[in-house]
Amino acid sequence: MLNHLQNQALRKMKGKRFLLSLSLAFLFACSSGTVDINPKDQENQETDTTQGAAFFNPFQCDTTKAPPKDKIQKLTKFEYENTLRDIFGDGIINDSQIQEKLRLIPSDLIGGNMRNEGLTSDHVERVFEISQLIGKKLSASSTEMNRFNGSCMLQTTPTSTCIRDFISTLGLSAYRRPLTTDELTNYVTAYNNLAFASRDRAEVLIAFILQSPDAMYRMENDGTENPDGSITLSSYALANRLSYTLTGSMPDSALMMKAHDQSILKDEVYNSEVSRLLASDKAKNYLVAAFETWLKVSEIPSFFYSEHFLDGINAVGLDSEMRQDMRDFLTHVTFDTQGTFKDLLTSNLAFVKSANLAQVYGISVPSDPSGRVAVEDRAGILTKPIMLARTGFDYENSMKRGVFLRQKILCDDIPPLDDTLLPPDFRDAPDTTNELRTSREILEERTSDPQCAGCHSLINPLGFALNDFDGIGRHRAEEKIFDSSGNLLNSLVINASVDLDVHLNGFVQEITGGKGLATALANTSKADSCMMQSWLDFVEKREITEADHCTLREIYSSLIDAEGNRRPLIEMFRTTVVSSKFRKKFIGE
Amino acid sequence: MKNKFSRRQFLRGAGGITLALPFMPSLLSKEALAQSSGPTPKRFLCLYWPHGYRNQYWGAPLSSAASIVSSQSQNSLHTIKELAFSSVSTSTNLNPTLPYPAFNSPSMRSKLTIIQGLDQIGIGNGHNRYGALGATLHEPATTDGELQSESIDTILARSTQIYPDFTPLRRVMNISSTGGSISLQRNSSGVGFNESPSEISFAQVWQKLFSGVSGSGDSGAALEKDKKTRLINLVYEDYQRKLNHPRLSAEDRQKLESRMTMFDELEAKIQGIRVSASCTPPPETNIGPNSPDNYSAWYQMSMDQKFRFYIDLVVAAIICDTTRVATFDFYGTLKNGEDPFPNDFHTEHAHGHDPENHQKMLEHNQWAAELYAHMITQLDAQEEAPGVSILDNSLVYWANELGNTTPANGHSTKEMQIMLAGSLGGRIRTGRYLEYRRTYGSTVVGPPYNHFLVSILQAFGLTPSEYEGSTEEAPGIGEYGLTRPAGIPNRAAYEVYLTTAQRRSPLPLLFT
C-alpha cells in the first residue's frame, strides 16, 4: 500500500526543478561580491599560493589565553537511552511504553549540530514518565530488584541495611560514581518519609534517583583543585568523561573497576583503556555517528522521485540502504582498516546489499555477504549515493550540493541573503521548460548577474563538479530532460569540469567530476581541518571558538605530519582523550 | 510522615527569587482555583496559508451598500471602505474564495471580519514565513541587523489575559505540516529569536494536548497522583540542594534552575488539568511521518485529511481547555508532493505567468477556506454559556504568507488578506468587511501589518509594556527597526504610521 501511494505521489510530480527557484531565492541576494574568509586561513595561504596552500595547520594555539570553560552537560537523548540500557538491560528498556516515551524525547540536533542546550518541558516530562515506568517495572520483579541488592526492599518493612544497600548499589550506577554520605542519607530520609506500601515506596525511590541532577547531567566535578583554578578529574569523573566521549554511554564494569581502584589515573592503564574502548563495537557505532552528524546523513528528507526518473529502481527503503552503505563504509575505513581521511575522500569501496542500491551504483549485487565492492566511478564520501540524493528529487540541485560542500565540508561561511539589493523578480521561478539547456546552463545564467557572483563563485563550482551524478546518485554522462508527463524530450551531455578555488586564495585548478573533486580535496588539508572542527563540535556539543584551537592544533598534528602525510583517523579520537586538557575541568565564573 | 520542606512551601517562600512571574499563578491552591470562577476564557488560533491571493478573488462585493469613511475623519491616514455583511444577500458569496454554506449563514456572517489593504512594510517582496505572527522580514530572517520580534502567539501564551489563574497542559500548540515554525520566541541569550517548537506528528500533538487527561476515577488514580506529587517534590528539592555545589558556574546553575522551572508545569499536569465539563479527549493516536510512528497510516492520509485531523485535535483541546493558543502552519502545500495540486504548485501556479494558473490559485485558497470553515463551525457548535459559543469568545485568524500577488505576479507582501472569526466576547466589531488604503503620490499604500498585530494584542487586553521590546536589537510587536541597514522600502509613504501614537493605536473601526 505504501509503495502504491508513494508511486501515486510520484506520478503527480512534474517539472522537478521547482526546487531550483526556492534555492535561488535563498542565495541570489547573497550579493555583496565579497566573502568572509577566515583571516587565519588567508594568512597561512599567503605562504603558498602557487601550490594552493596544500597542507597547513590552521589552528593557532595561544597558550596565554584561557582555555574554554567546561559546563555541566545534560545527557543527550542518545546518551540517556544508552545509559539506561547499560544500567537496566534490554529487558527493562525495550518495554514498549518506555520505548514510546524515549522516542518522544526531543532530538538534540539543532541546525544539524549536536547540542545539549535548549531543554524543553517535553524533555523533562518524558524523563519523569520514563523514570516512573522503570520504577514500576523494577519494583514489580524481585529478580530485577535483586540485581541492585534490592529484593529485600519489597518486604513489608525493609531493614535499614537493606535500604542503604539498595540505594548505594543503584546510586553507583545512576551517578556513575559512589554516593557521598550526605547523598545516601538524603535518599534514606526521603524513602523513610514516603507513606506508601513497600513496592510503591521502592518505585518512587527508583524514579527519584534516576532524575537526580547527577544522573541527568555529566557533572564531572570531582577532583583535585589546581593553582590555576582547574580541577584534575577524579578517577570516576575521568572514567565518565572518557566513556561518554568515546562510546556515548556510561563506563562499563571494567572501566568502573579501574576508576574504583584509581588505576585509571595511571597513564599506562588509561592508554590501555582508551585502546580497549576504541576497539569496542560501542565506540565504533558512536564515533561513526559523529561522522554522520557532520555529513548530515540523518537529515536527508524522504525521497520523491518520479517513476520515469527512477527507471525501474524501487525508492521505498532506498534511503535506509544508502545510509547503511555510508555507515559500513565509514566503519570499514576508520576502524576495520585503520584508514586515513584521504581514504574517506577517495576510496571507491561500496557496501551494496540490495538490487535497488546496486542499480544506483550501476553494478550487480556483490557476492560478498558484506556487500563490499569497488566501484570504478566513485571516490569516497562525496560520491556516496546518500550524499548525492540529498534533495530527494529528480533535479540534482547543484546549488544545494555546492552550499553543503562549502559550508559543511570546507567550513567556509557564505554571506547571508540581502534581497533588498537584488532585482525584484529574483525569487520568481526560472524558465525550466527548455529541453535544449542543461540544469547547469540554467543555473549559470540565473547566477551570472554580478550581484550574485560573490556568493555563487563559492558555491557553483563545487556543485557543478558533482554534475556527473544525477539526483539519486547514479553516475551519468548525459542529463535526461523529461516533460511533465514523463516523456523523454532530450538527453544533453553534462559538463562536470570546473575551475575550483578550494582555499579561496586565488589558486584555481581545473577539475572534472566527483572523482576530480575528491582528489583535489585530498590534496589539501582544508577538508581535514573542517572535519576535525566538526568532531570537536560533536564532542563539546557547542560552537567551536578560537579558545578550542589548542585542542584542534593537537588533533591536527596527530593526523597530519609536517610533510603532509596522514595518519589513521582513529588517532583523532585517541588524541582528543589523551590530551592534558581532557583530564582537567575548567569551571566558569 | 511528611516531608519537612515541600516544594510548594519552598516556592511560596522563595519563588519570587528563583521563578519567573508567569509561573506564579499556578501557586494558587487548588481550593482557590476551585473557588475562582475566573474571567471568560479567551482563545487565539491562527491558520497560516502560503502564497498569497489574487485580488479579484478576495475583495468583498463592494457596491453602493459600502460606506466610505472619509480620509479627513481618520487624520488623513486611511480611506476606509466598510461593508456590513448583513447587506449582502445570503445567496451571494462574500467573495469567490468563500463559496461554502458556512460563510453564507447570517449567524456565521455576523461573527466574521474580513480585513483588507494592510502592508508588510519591513521588506520588499519575498517569502514571509514569520510575518503573520510578528516579525516583518522574510525567511530565513536570522541575519544580524534584520528585524525580528517575538510572535504574538508566544506573547499571548505567557499572558495572564489568556491564562489568568492556572497553568494549562500546553500554553501554546504550534503545528507545522512540514516542520519548522511560523512562530518565534526569544532565545536564551535574550537578544535574538529562535523558531518556537512545533509538531508535525499526530502522536506528538496528542501527547502534548491530552497526555494525562483521562478523567479516570478508579481507586488507583489517587495513589498514582499522590506518588507523582511526592516524586516531583523530591526531585525539585534535590535540584535545589545541587545548586549549592561550590563547583558549579553561574551558567551551570542557570541550567539547573531552568529545569526546575519546568517542574512547575509538570506539577500542574499532575494535579489535574482544568478540564472543562464538556471535554472528551480524542483517542490516543500513534500516527506520524517517521518511524516508529505509524507512518503507514500517515502516508495513506491525504494532505486534506491530515489538515483536518490537526484541526480536530486542537478543537478538542480548546473544548477541553488544555490549551488556549494554537497555530497551524500549513505551508507544506507547496513542497512535498502530497497535496491535491501538482507538486510544482509554487512555480507553476502561485507565481506562474500563465493566466490559466489563476484558477489554480483560487482553488488553493478555497481549500484553505474549507479548512477554516471546518474549524470555526466546530468551535461555534460548542456553547459555553447560554447563547455564547466558544467561537464567540475566541479569535480565529486566517493569515496568509503573502498579499495580493496580482500586480507583481509573484511575492507581493502588500494588500495582505486577513480573515477573523469570533469577537473575543464582543471586543471585535464583527460582521463586516474593512479595507484600509491611502494614496501617497503615485502609489497607494496601507497601514503597516504591525497595526493589525497590535490590534490583536490590545483586543486581548495586553498593554504595550507586554509586547513592545526595549532595545533596537530585540524589538517587539509594533516596532519597525528603523535603523536596520536596508531600511524600509518606500518608507516615505508609510512615515505617517510610524509615530509612537500611531503604532500603538488599533486599526480604526475594528473594535466595538
PDB file of all heavy atoms in Angstrom, chain A residues 77-95 98-99 102 130 134 147-148 249-250 282:
ATOM      1  N   LYS A  77      19.870  12.705  24.220  1.00  0.00           N
ATOM      2  CA  LYS A  77      18.873  11.643  24.075  1.00  0.00           C
ATOM      3  C   LYS A  77      19.570  10.295  23.867  1.00  0.00           C
ATOM      4  O   LYS A  77      19.207   9.284  24.467  1.00  0.00           O
ATOM      5  CB  LYS A  77      17.968  11.973  22.885  1.00  0.00           C
ATOM      6  CG  LYS A  77      16.882  10.973  22.620  1.00  0.00           C
ATOM      7  CD  LYS A  77      16.018  11.441  21.446  1.00  0.00           C
ATOM      8  CE  LYS A  77      14.865  10.469  21.208  1.00  0.00           C
ATOM      9  NZ  LYS A  77      13.938  10.962  20.177  1.00  0.00           N
ATOM     10  N   PHE A  78      20.586  10.308  23.022  1.00  0.00           N
ATOM     11  CA  PHE A  78      21.350   9.100  22.728  1.00  0.00           C
ATOM     12  C   PHE A  78      22.048   8.591  23.987  1.00  0.00           C
ATOM     13  O   PHE A  78      21.987   7.405  24.327  1.00  0.00           O
ATOM     14  CB  PHE A  78      22.376   9.426  21.628  1.00  0.00           C
ATOM     15  CG  PHE A  78      23.164   8.248  21.136  1.00  0.00           C
ATOM     16  CD1 PHE A  78      22.697   7.479  20.086  1.00  0.00           C
ATOM     17  CD2 PHE A  78      24.388   7.924  21.700  1.00  0.00           C
ATOM     18  CE1 PHE A  78      23.427   6.393  19.625  1.00  0.00           C
ATOM     19  CE2 PHE A  78      25.130   6.846  21.242  1.00  0.00           C
ATOM     20  CZ  PHE A  78      24.647   6.084  20.194  1.00  0.00           C
ATOM     21  N   GLU A  79      22.711   9.492  24.691  1.00  0.00           N
ATOM     22  CA  GLU A  79      23.440   9.100  25.904  1.00  0.00           C
ATOM     23  C   GLU A  79      22.479   8.608  26.982  1.00  0.00           C
ATOM     24  O   GLU A  79      22.770   7.651  27.698  1.00  0.00           O
ATOM     25  CB  GLU A  79      24.245  10.294  26.434  1.00  0.00           C
ATOM     26  CG  GLU A  79      25.422  10.684  25.546  1.00  0.00           C
ATOM     27  CD  GLU A  79      26.043  12.013  25.947  1.00  0.00           C
ATOM     28  OE1 GLU A  79      25.348  12.832  26.587  1.00  0.00           O
ATOM     29  OE2 GLU A  79      27.202  12.260  25.602  1.00  0.00           O
ATOM     30  N   TYR A  80      21.350   9.261  27.081  1.00  0.00           N
ATOM     31  CA  TYR A  80      20.374   8.910  28.113  1.00  0.00           C
ATOM     32  C   TYR A  80      19.854   7.489  27.896  1.00  0.00           C
ATOM     33  O   TYR A  80      19.842   6.673  28.817  1.00  0.00           O
ATOM     34  CB  TYR A  80      19.233   9.928  28.069  1.00  0.00           C
ATOM     35  CG  TYR A  80      18.108   9.657  29.042  1.00  0.00           C
ATOM     36  CD1 TYR A  80      18.334   9.635  30.414  1.00  0.00           C
ATOM     37  CD2 TYR A  80      16.807   9.437  28.586  1.00  0.00           C
ATOM     38  CE1 TYR A  80      17.296   9.394  31.310  1.00  0.00           C
ATOM     39  CE2 TYR A  80      15.770   9.200  29.466  1.00  0.00           C
ATOM     40  CZ  TYR A  80      16.015   9.184  30.827  1.00  0.00           C
ATOM     41  OH  TYR A  80      14.991   8.934  31.706  1.00  0.00           O
ATOM     42  N   GLU A  81      19.458   7.197  26.671  1.00  0.00           N
ATOM     43  CA  GLU A  81      18.926   5.849  26.417  1.00  0.00           C
ATOM     44  C   GLU A  81      20.020   4.797  26.618  1.00  0.00           C
ATOM     45  O   GLU A  81      19.783   3.745  27.212  1.00  0.00           O
ATOM     46  CB  GLU A  81      18.340   5.738  25.006  1.00  0.00           C
ATOM     47  CG  GLU A  81      17.843   4.319  24.726  1.00  0.00           C
ATOM     48  CD  GLU A  81      17.015   4.191  23.469  1.00  0.00           C
ATOM     49  OE1 GLU A  81      16.764   5.208  22.802  1.00  0.00           O
ATOM     50  OE2 GLU A  81      16.627   3.036  23.156  1.00  0.00           O
ATOM     51  N   ASN A  82      21.215   5.077  26.107  1.00  0.00           N
ATOM     52  CA  ASN A  82      22.301   4.100  26.267  1.00  0.00           C
ATOM     53  C   ASN A  82      22.641   3.868  27.736  1.00  0.00           C
ATOM     54  O   ASN A  82      22.924   2.742  28.151  1.00  0.00           O
ATOM     55  CB  ASN A  82      23.561   4.584  25.532  1.00  0.00           C
ATOM     56  CG  ASN A  82      23.452   4.334  24.042  1.00  0.00           C
ATOM     57  OD1 ASN A  82      22.532   3.660  23.601  1.00  0.00           O
ATOM     58  ND2 ASN A  82      24.377   4.876  23.288  1.00  0.00           N
ATOM     59  N   THR A  83      22.623   4.936  28.502  1.00  0.00           N
ATOM     60  CA  THR A  83      22.939   4.804  29.925  1.00  0.00           C
ATOM     61  C   THR A  83      21.888   3.957  30.630  1.00  0.00           C
ATOM     62  O   THR A  83      22.220   3.055  31.413  1.00  0.00           O
ATOM     63  CB  THR A  83      23.031   6.209  30.565  1.00  0.00           C
ATOM     64  OG1 THR A  83      24.050   6.955  29.880  1.00  0.00           O
ATOM     65  CG2 THR A  83      23.381   6.120  32.040  1.00  0.00           C
ATOM     66  N   LEU A  84      20.619   4.235  30.334  1.00  0.00           N
ATOM     67  CA  LEU A  84      19.558   3.425  30.942  1.00  0.00           C
ATOM     68  C   LEU A  84      19.698   1.955  30.540  1.00  0.00           C
ATOM     69  O   LEU A  84      19.499   1.048  31.349  1.00  0.00           O
ATOM     70  CB  LEU A  84      18.184   3.947  30.514  1.00  0.00           C
ATOM     71  CG  LEU A  84      17.769   5.313  31.068  1.00  0.00           C
ATOM     72  CD1 LEU A  84      16.376   5.689  30.541  1.00  0.00           C
ATOM     73  CD2 LEU A  84      17.763   5.324  32.588  1.00  0.00           C
ATOM     74  N   ARG A  85      20.053   1.751  29.286  1.00  0.00           N
ATOM     75  CA  ARG A  85      20.193   0.373  28.791  1.00  0.00           C
ATOM     76  C   ARG A  85      21.348  -0.320  29.509  1.00  0.00           C
ATOM     77  O   ARG A  85      21.267  -1.500  29.845  1.00  0.00           O
ATOM     78  CB  ARG A  85      20.427   0.418  27.278  1.00  0.00           C
ATOM     79  CG  ARG A  85      20.038  -0.837  26.534  1.00  0.00           C
ATOM     80  CD  ARG A  85      20.133  -0.604  25.035  1.00  0.00           C
ATOM     81  NE  ARG A  85      18.992   0.102  24.489  1.00  0.00           N
ATOM     82  CZ  ARG A  85      17.791  -0.444  24.261  1.00  0.00           C
ATOM     83  NH1 ARG A  85      17.599  -1.702  24.544  1.00  0.00           N
ATOM     84  NH2 ARG A  85      16.810   0.264  23.765  1.00  0.00           N
ATOM     85  N   ASP A  86      22.431   0.420  29.731  1.00  0.00           N
ATOM     86  CA  ASP A  86      23.569  -0.172  30.421  1.00  0.00           C
ATOM     87  C   ASP A  86      23.235  -0.479  31.879  1.00  0.00           C
ATOM     88  O   ASP A  86      23.730  -1.450  32.448  1.00  0.00           O
ATOM     89  CB  ASP A  86      24.787   0.770  30.361  1.00  0.00           C
ATOM     90  CG  ASP A  86      25.427   0.771  28.976  1.00  0.00           C
ATOM     91  OD1 ASP A  86      25.083  -0.126  28.184  1.00  0.00           O
ATOM     92  OD2 ASP A  86      26.228   1.668  28.688  1.00  0.00           O
ATOM     93  N   ILE A  87      22.407   0.350  32.492  1.00  0.00           N
ATOM     94  CA  ILE A  87      22.071   0.127  33.903  1.00  0.00           C
ATOM     95  C   ILE A  87      21.065  -1.013  34.050  1.00  0.00           C
ATOM     96  O   ILE A  87      21.247  -1.914  34.869  1.00  0.00           O
ATOM     97  CB  ILE A  87      21.479   1.411  34.535  1.00  0.00           C
ATOM     98  CG1 ILE A  87      22.504   2.540  34.535  1.00  0.00           C
ATOM     99  CG2 ILE A  87      21.005   1.137  35.963  1.00  0.00           C
ATOM    100  CD1 ILE A  87      21.946   3.884  34.993  1.00  0.00           C
ATOM    101  N   PHE A  88      20.012  -0.972  33.240  1.00  0.00           N
ATOM    102  CA  PHE A  88      18.882  -1.873  33.492  1.00  0.00           C
ATOM    103  C   PHE A  88      18.770  -3.016  32.485  1.00  0.00           C
ATOM    104  O   PHE A  88      18.022  -3.960  32.734  1.00  0.00           O
ATOM    105  CB  PHE A  88      17.573  -1.072  33.496  1.00  0.00           C
ATOM    106  CG  PHE A  88      17.532  -0.044  34.581  1.00  0.00           C
ATOM    107  CD1 PHE A  88      17.700   1.302  34.293  1.00  0.00           C
ATOM    108  CD2 PHE A  88      17.364  -0.421  35.898  1.00  0.00           C
ATOM    109  CE1 PHE A  88      17.679   2.256  35.289  1.00  0.00           C
ATOM    110  CE2 PHE A  88      17.342   0.527  36.912  1.00  0.00           C
ATOM    111  CZ  PHE A  88      17.502   1.868  36.607  1.00  0.00           C
ATOM    112  N   GLY A  89      19.440  -2.923  31.375  1.00  0.00           N
ATOM    113  CA  GLY A  89      19.389  -4.004  30.390  1.00  0.00           C
ATOM    114  C   GLY A  89      18.214  -3.868  29.446  1.00  0.00           C
ATOM    115  O   GLY A  89      17.252  -3.135  29.694  1.00  0.00           O
ATOM    116  N   ASP A  90      18.298  -4.620  28.355  1.00  0.00           N
ATOM    117  CA  ASP A  90      17.275  -4.538  27.317  1.00  0.00           C
ATOM    118  C   ASP A  90      15.909  -4.974  27.830  1.00  0.00           C
ATOM    119  O   ASP A  90      14.873  -4.475  27.372  1.00  0.00           O
ATOM    120  CB  ASP A  90      17.670  -5.411  26.118  1.00  0.00           C
ATOM    121  CG  ASP A  90      18.912  -4.884  25.431  1.00  0.00           C
ATOM    122  OD1 ASP A  90      19.278  -3.712  25.693  1.00  0.00           O
ATOM    123  OD2 ASP A  90      19.528  -5.629  24.645  1.00  0.00           O
ATOM    124  N   GLY A  91      15.891  -5.942  28.766  1.00  0.00           N
ATOM    125  CA  GLY A  91      14.615  -6.455  29.247  1.00  0.00           C
ATOM    126  C   GLY A  91      13.715  -5.372  29.799  1.00  0.00           C
ATOM    127  O   GLY A  91      12.506  -5.402  29.620  1.00  0.00           O
ATOM    128  N   ILE A  92      14.303  -4.401  30.472  1.00  0.00           N
ATOM    129  CA  ILE A  92      13.518  -3.285  31.020  1.00  0.00           C
ATOM    130  C   ILE A  92      13.316  -2.210  29.960  1.00  0.00           C
ATOM    131  O   ILE A  92      12.203  -1.734  29.724  1.00  0.00           O
ATOM    132  CB  ILE A  92      14.238  -2.666  32.244  1.00  0.00           C
ATOM    133  CG1 ILE A  92      14.351  -3.696  33.378  1.00  0.00           C
ATOM    134  CG2 ILE A  92      13.534  -1.395  32.705  1.00  0.00           C
ATOM    135  CD1 ILE A  92      13.091  -3.931  34.159  1.00  0.00           C
ATOM    136  N   ILE A  93      14.395  -1.824  29.312  1.00  0.00           N
ATOM    137  CA  ILE A  93      14.331  -0.640  28.448  1.00  0.00           C
ATOM    138  C   ILE A  93      13.567  -0.907  27.148  1.00  0.00           C
ATOM    139  O   ILE A  93      13.032   0.014  26.537  1.00  0.00           O
ATOM    140  CB  ILE A  93      15.764  -0.119  28.155  1.00  0.00           C
ATOM    141  CG1 ILE A  93      16.470   0.183  29.472  1.00  0.00           C
ATOM    142  CG2 ILE A  93      15.749   1.126  27.279  1.00  0.00           C
ATOM    143  CD1 ILE A  93      15.712   1.133  30.392  1.00  0.00           C
ATOM    144  N   ASN A  94      13.498  -2.143  26.720  1.00  0.00           N
ATOM    145  CA  ASN A  94      12.742  -2.426  25.495  1.00  0.00           C
ATOM    146  C   ASN A  94      11.235  -2.532  25.734  1.00  0.00           C
ATOM    147  O   ASN A  94      10.480  -2.788  24.798  1.00  0.00           O
ATOM    148  CB  ASN A  94      13.236  -3.724  24.851  1.00  0.00           C
ATOM    149  CG  ASN A  94      14.567  -3.527  24.145  1.00  0.00           C
ATOM    150  OD1 ASN A  94      14.997  -2.392  23.940  1.00  0.00           O
ATOM    151  ND2 ASN A  94      15.227  -4.613  23.775  1.00  0.00           N
ATOM    152  N   ASP A  95      10.818  -2.308  26.956  1.00  0.00           N
ATOM    153  CA  ASP A  95       9.385  -2.252  27.231  1.00  0.00           C
ATOM    154  C   ASP A  95       8.736  -1.226  26.289  1.00  0.00           C
ATOM    155  O   ASP A  95       9.268  -0.131  26.089  1.00  0.00           O
ATOM    156  CB  ASP A  95       9.185  -1.832  28.693  1.00  0.00           C
ATOM    157  CG  ASP A  95       7.731  -1.523  29.010  1.00  0.00           C
ATOM    158  OD1 ASP A  95       6.985  -2.480  29.228  1.00  0.00           O
ATOM    159  OD2 ASP A  95       7.375  -0.325  29.010  1.00  0.00           O
ATOM    160  N   ILE A  98       8.127   2.298  27.648  1.00  0.00           N
ATOM    161  CA  ILE A  98       9.372   3.063  27.834  1.00  0.00           C
ATOM    162  C   ILE A  98       9.927   3.488  26.473  1.00  0.00           C
ATOM    163  O   ILE A  98      10.378   4.622  26.298  1.00  0.00           O
ATOM    164  CB  ILE A  98      10.399   2.224  28.626  1.00  0.00           C
ATOM    165  CG1 ILE A  98       9.888   2.006  30.050  1.00  0.00           C
ATOM    166  CG2 ILE A  98      11.769   2.890  28.639  1.00  0.00           C
ATOM    167  CD1 ILE A  98      10.745   1.080  30.898  1.00  0.00           C
ATOM    168  N   GLN A  99       9.868   2.590  25.514  1.00  0.00           N
ATOM    169  CA  GLN A  99      10.364   2.936  24.180  1.00  0.00           C
ATOM    170  C   GLN A  99       9.577   4.098  23.586  1.00  0.00           C
ATOM    171  O   GLN A  99      10.145   4.987  22.944  1.00  0.00           O
ATOM    172  CB  GLN A  99      10.270   1.714  23.260  1.00  0.00           C
ATOM    173  CG  GLN A  99      11.399   0.716  23.445  1.00  0.00           C
ATOM    174  CD  GLN A  99      12.757   1.315  23.126  1.00  0.00           C
ATOM    175  OE1 GLN A  99      12.998   1.771  22.016  1.00  0.00           O
ATOM    176  NE2 GLN A  99      13.644   1.340  24.104  1.00  0.00           N
ATOM    177  N   LEU A 102      10.728   7.237  25.265  1.00  0.00           N
ATOM    178  CA  LEU A 102      12.077   7.596  24.801  1.00  0.00           C
ATOM    179  C   LEU A 102      12.015   8.233  23.422  1.00  0.00           C
ATOM    180  O   LEU A 102      12.715   9.199  23.131  1.00  0.00           O
ATOM    181  CB  LEU A 102      12.967   6.342  24.751  1.00  0.00           C
ATOM    182  CG  LEU A 102      13.523   5.848  26.093  1.00  0.00           C
ATOM    183  CD1 LEU A 102      14.115   4.448  25.929  1.00  0.00           C
ATOM    184  CD2 LEU A 102      14.597   6.808  26.613  1.00  0.00           C
ATOM    185  N   ILE A 130       9.476   8.237  32.096  1.00  0.00           N
ATOM    186  CA  ILE A 130      10.352   7.070  31.922  1.00  0.00           C
ATOM    187  C   ILE A 130      10.876   6.592  33.270  1.00  0.00           C
ATOM    188  O   ILE A 130      10.906   5.391  33.556  1.00  0.00           O
ATOM    189  CB  ILE A 130      11.523   7.430  30.972  1.00  0.00           C
ATOM    190  CG1 ILE A 130      10.999   7.621  29.546  1.00  0.00           C
ATOM    191  CG2 ILE A 130      12.605   6.351  31.005  1.00  0.00           C
ATOM    192  CD1 ILE A 130      11.980   8.334  28.626  1.00  0.00           C
ATOM    193  N   ILE A 134      10.271   2.885  34.763  1.00  0.00           N
ATOM    194  CA  ILE A 134      11.358   1.988  35.190  1.00  0.00           C
ATOM    195  C   ILE A 134      11.157   1.597  36.653  1.00  0.00           C
ATOM    196  O   ILE A 134      11.338   0.439  37.040  1.00  0.00           O
ATOM    197  CB  ILE A 134      12.732   2.657  34.972  1.00  0.00           C
ATOM    198  CG1 ILE A 134      13.006   2.814  33.475  1.00  0.00           C
ATOM    199  CG2 ILE A 134      13.842   1.844  35.642  1.00  0.00           C
ATOM    200  CD1 ILE A 134      14.265   3.586  33.147  1.00  0.00           C
ATOM    201  N   ARG A 147      19.143  -7.472  41.282  1.00  0.00           N
ATOM    202  CA  ARG A 147      20.351  -7.052  40.535  1.00  0.00           C
ATOM    203  C   ARG A 147      20.990  -5.836  41.206  1.00  0.00           C
ATOM    204  O   ARG A 147      22.146  -5.521  40.960  1.00  0.00           O
ATOM    205  CB  ARG A 147      19.975  -6.708  39.098  1.00  0.00           C
ATOM    206  CG  ARG A 147      19.541  -7.939  38.281  1.00  0.00           C
ATOM    207  CD  ARG A 147      19.125  -7.535  36.886  1.00  0.00           C
ATOM    208  NE  ARG A 147      20.166  -6.758  36.234  1.00  0.00           N
ATOM    209  CZ  ARG A 147      19.925  -5.810  35.339  1.00  0.00           C
ATOM    210  NH1 ARG A 147      18.697  -5.526  34.998  1.00  0.00           N
ATOM    211  NH2 ARG A 147      20.913  -5.163  34.794  1.00  0.00           N
ATOM    212  N   PHE A 148      20.202  -5.151  42.025  1.00  0.00           N
ATOM    213  CA  PHE A 148      20.724  -3.984  42.739  1.00  0.00           C
ATOM    214  C   PHE A 148      20.657  -4.217  44.251  1.00  0.00           C
ATOM    215  O   PHE A 148      20.483  -3.280  45.024  1.00  0.00           O
ATOM    216  CB  PHE A 148      19.907  -2.739  42.344  1.00  0.00           C
ATOM    217  CG  PHE A 148      19.943  -2.460  40.876  1.00  0.00           C
ATOM    218  CD1 PHE A 148      18.945  -2.955  40.036  1.00  0.00           C
ATOM    219  CD2 PHE A 148      20.982  -1.744  40.313  1.00  0.00           C
ATOM    220  CE1 PHE A 148      18.986  -2.719  38.673  1.00  0.00           C
ATOM    221  CE2 PHE A 148      21.029  -1.514  38.947  1.00  0.00           C
ATOM    222  CZ  PHE A 148      20.031  -2.004  38.125  1.00  0.00           C
ATOM    223  N   SER A 249      28.061   6.592  26.260  1.00  0.00           N
ATOM    224  CA  SER A 249      27.352   5.983  27.389  1.00  0.00           C
ATOM    225  C   SER A 249      28.242   5.945  28.619  1.00  0.00           C
ATOM    226  O   SER A 249      29.395   6.387  28.577  1.00  0.00           O
ATOM    227  CB  SER A 249      26.881   4.572  27.028  1.00  0.00           C
ATOM    228  OG  SER A 249      25.987   4.094  28.024  1.00  0.00           O
ATOM    229  N   MET A 250      27.698   5.382  29.696  1.00  0.00           N
ATOM    230  CA  MET A 250      28.408   5.340  30.971  1.00  0.00           C
ATOM    231  C   MET A 250      29.577   4.337  30.906  1.00  0.00           C
ATOM    232  O   MET A 250      29.621   3.485  30.009  1.00  0.00           O
ATOM    233  CB  MET A 250      27.445   4.924  32.077  1.00  0.00           C
ATOM    234  CG  MET A 250      26.879   3.535  31.910  1.00  0.00           C
ATOM    235  SD  MET A 250      25.693   3.104  33.202  1.00  0.00           S
ATOM    236  CE  MET A 250      26.783   2.929  34.618  1.00  0.00           C
ATOM    237  N   LYS A 282      30.714  -0.623  20.594  1.00  0.00           N
ATOM    238  CA  LYS A 282      30.004   0.537  21.133  1.00  0.00           C
ATOM    239  C   LYS A 282      30.662   1.838  20.661  1.00  0.00           C
ATOM    240  O   LYS A 282      29.995   2.784  20.233  1.00  0.00           O
ATOM    241  CB  LYS A 282      30.049   0.468  22.662  1.00  0.00           C
ATOM    242  CG  LYS A 282      28.842   0.993  23.364  1.00  0.00           C
ATOM    243  CD  LYS A 282      28.933   0.590  24.830  1.00  0.00           C
ATOM    244  CE  LYS A 282      27.866   1.255  25.646  1.00  0.00           C
ATOM    245  NZ  LYS A 282      27.979   0.897  27.061  1.00  0.00           N
TER     246      LYS A 282
END
